[in-house]
Amino acid sequence: MVVKDIDQQTFGLDVLQRSHEVPVVVDFWAAWCGPCKVLGPVLERAAAEQEGSLELVKVDVDRNPGLASQFGVQGIPTVLAFKDGRPVARFTGAVPENEVRRWVAGLLPTEIDRWVEQARDAVLEGNEARAEALFRRVRDDVADNPEAGTGLAALLIARGDTAEALILLGKGLEITT
């Protein structure tokens, strides 16, 4: 696994843009920092175990004080995770390897997340039956999953089944006599 050194010029592309595809973990560190030297290899092992499901980059705070300031780094090592162009998790200090692994695992998509993504892809491919089956599978496991609920409701509305769609969206139907 290659760990990139990032600076102010490459941060936008290598972190913010890339984080729309996979989570990007940013290690804010300095060469003189003892805890940074301990944490660095731990992060590299944890990231390598994910086999491309996330990326790890490093920011030298001495060479990039603007980036450190922009993200509120007050102590090092500080580690931030980015998804969809924004920071979503962080920790500071050389934490034990098992905690780093648990933190990294929390950044990765769950099986439910993968089913929702597959359902969205099926919609885009015009395979509405597969999309509906996947959305319903998610809702069977997590009844209040908002992405599956709205995705399924959209499919139902498109085919004219507004009653079930409204129930899914939480609106219900008022019956008047």
Side-chain angles (χ1 to χ4, degrees):
M1 176 180 158
V2 176
V3 179
K4 291 182 182 180
D5 288 310
I6 303 298
D7 60 23
Q8 187 77 41
Q9 288 70 39
T10 59
F11 194 88
L13 180 63
D14 290 335
V15 176
L16 301 179
Q17 261 189 307
R18 181 69 174 135
S19 72
H20 287 276
E21 298 167 29
V22 296
V24 178
V25 174
V26 181
D27 178 13
F28 287 88
W29 71 288
W32 50 264
C33 168
C36 298
K37 292 176 183 177
V38 171
L39 182 63
V42 170
L43 282 170
E44 289 176 24
R45 281 192 298 275
E49 289 170 0
Q50 301 312 316
E51 300 174 346
S53 296
L54 63 77
E55 288 190 11
L56 172 64
V57 300
K58 296 174 108 26
V59 173
D60 183 331
V61 297
D62 289 335
R63 292 189 175 134
N64 299 282
L67 279 175
S69 176
Q70 180 180 350
F71 292 103
V73 174
Q74 295 180 347
I76 54 173
T78 292
V79 180
L80 273 79
F82 287 78
K83 286 184 180 179
D84 298 322
R86 58 185 172 75
V88 295
R90 74 185 297 150
F91 69 86
T92 301
V95 302
E97 190 158 349
N98 63 334
E99 288 182 36
V100 171
R101 289 181 198 289
R102 195 171 21 257
W103 185 83
V104 165
L107 301 173
L108 302 174
T110 65
E111 186 173 31
I112 296 293
D113 296 331
R114 286 189 288 275
W115 290 345
V116 168
E117 191 63 32
Q118 289 171 9
R120 287 183 185 141
D121 290 345
V123 168
L124 293 174
E125 294 164 0
N127 190 343
E128 293 175 8
R130 176 166 165 67
E132 181 177 350
L134 286 163
F135 283 139
R136 288 189 187 279
R137 183 176 183 186
V138 169
R139 292 196 39 88
D140 286 346
D141 282 9
V142 184
D144 63 347
N145 183 290
E147 294 170 337
T150 56
L152 181 55
L155 287 173
L156 294 169
I157 290 169
R159 76 171 183 224
D161 191 353
T162 55
E164 185 180 358
L166 288 171
I167 291 168
L168 281 170
L169 294 172
K171 305 290 183 199
L173 292 175
E174 290 184 29
I175 300 174
T176 57
T177 57

